[in-house]
Amino acid sequence: MPRPRSYGLVLFPQFEVLDVAGPLEALNCLTRINAEGYEGVTQDEIEEIKLSVIACDKNPVNPGPITPEKTSVNFAGQQFYLPTYTFDTAPDLDVVIIPGGLGAIQKDATSESGFKNPAGVIEFLQRQYNTWEEQGAEDKYIFSICTGARLLATAKILDGHHATTNKATWKLVTPAGRKTYWKAKARWVVSGNIWTTSGVSAGTDGMLGFLESLYGRKVVDWIETVMEYNATHEHDDIWAKKHDAHDVKPQE
């Protein structure tokens, strides 16, 4: 199957910065590779890889609550990330990356789910994935990091799939996917064309695994060398034990 050319990063208020930065750095390194030294990889396809940063509107997105009273609390609130597309104007995408963060698990007692969903995110994810299913597009991928899995579960995208998420919020997130088999010890999980990763830094490990599935081990060895990064194994997440997280089977 053709390798992805068009990546879309979904942003919402109070997303987790490393959820975004780790996977993007792996992709940054991929796009700097000299493809001539790797069998089956062409320079043209590497140079065609594009990124769209997508949000509900084109205003800067903030990863922290804006609380000007205290500078220490406001540190994340002083950071701004600029979308290039809205949910309504996003181009055709091959990969949708959905981070987690506090914005993905904000409580809301008035909603049926008990959570406040970031504006437009659930609808965008459903629209993207349903379109791919209708087209039978096996070469399109959803990639979540951390508590971003709750948003996928809420969108019903994880129904019938295996998945994982942040172990520190395991008991909070997993009830959102009652038709999902949640794998506790997994650093990341591949289920069809859906990739879910554990907490925060696990997004980098999962993205390296994703790129290895597309380009092979030699390419990823080069990326890891450039990043000076030792990736964690797919089935070896020590945080499951630390947070007493156990597999959650789908409910009948």
Side-chain angles (χ1 to χ4, degrees):
M1 290 187 291
R3 297 182 180 109
R5 299 290 201 277
S6 178
Y7 288 76
L9 170 65
V10 176
L11 292 185
F12 50 84
Q14 296 191 65
F15 69 92
E16 175 59 46
V17 173
L18 187 55
D19 286 6
V20 170
L24 286 191
E25 182 57 27
L27 289 168
N28 285 342
C29 291
L30 172 67
T31 60
R32 293 198 293 265
I33 198 169
N34 179 1
E36 295 177 2
Y38 299 90
E39 184 177 355
V41 184
T42 68
Q43 199 64 40
D44 286 344
E45 70 171 305
I46 294 297
E47 292 176 358
E48 288 173 3
I49 294 173
K50 295 180 175 63
L51 174 68
S52 303
V53 182
I54 308 164
C56 65
D57 55 42
K58 294 182 77 171
N59 293 320
V61 182
N62 193 286
I66 301 177
T67 53
E69 301 84 14
K70 296 181 179 179
T71 303
S72 59
V73 177
N74 191 36
F75 186 83
Q78 298 173 38
Q79 302 167 39
F80 297 91
Y81 296 78
L82 189 64
T84 53
Y85 292 91
T86 70
F87 294 140
D88 293 327
T89 64
D92 290 338
L93 299 170
D94 300 323
V95 182
V96 173
I97 301 171
I98 177 75
L102 294 177
I105 52 171
Q106 282 188 319
K107 292 292 191 69
D108 182 359
T110 65
S111 73
E112 183 178 349
S113 67
F115 292 97
K116 178 181 179 181
N117 294 321
V121 169
I122 302 300
E123 295 78 8
F124 174 74
L125 294 173
Q126 289 173 329
R127 189 164 64 247
Q128 284 289 312
Y129 198 72
N130 290 342
T131 298
W132 292 348
E133 284 202 316
E134 290 169 4
Q135 296 172 347
E138 296 180 356
D139 57 340
K140 310 287 187 180
Y141 305 90
I142 292 277
F143 187 98
S144 78
I145 306 98
C146 193
T147 53
R150 189 199 71 82
L151 301 175
L152 293 186
T154 301
K156 307 299 183 185
I157 291 172
L158 296 184
D159 284 3
H161 286 277
H162 288 205
T164 196
T165 187
N166 188 317
K167 304 315 181 305
T169 59
W170 188 253
K171 295 176 177 66
L172 184 67
V173 172
T174 53
R178 298 186 181 277
K179 296 182 179 180
T180 304
Y181 194 123
W182 296 94
K183 306 290 289 184
K185 201 176 179 183
R187 189 69 170 163
W188 75 88
V189 170
V190 186
S191 187
N193 62 344
I194 300 172
W195 289 64
T196 54
T197 68
S198 185
V200 195
S201 62
T204 308
D205 299 319
M207 181 56 72
L208 291 167
F210 178 66
L211 295 179
E212 182 175 351
S213 75
L214 296 171
Y215 297 95
R217 185 65 234 172
K218 289 185 178 181
V219 168
V220 172
D221 279 342
W222 183 87
I223 294 173
E224 290 180 357
T225 299
V226 172
M227 293 176 66
E228 296 192 3
Y229 188 83
N230 292 318
T232 301
H233 191 272
E234 176 181 2
H235 304 295
D236 186 22
D237 191 351
I238 63 171
W239 305 105
K241 182 177 181 179
K242 289 180 180 293
H243 293 290
D244 193 30
H246 302 278
D247 285 8
V248 178
K249 296 182 179 180
Q251 299 181 11
E252 298 295 336

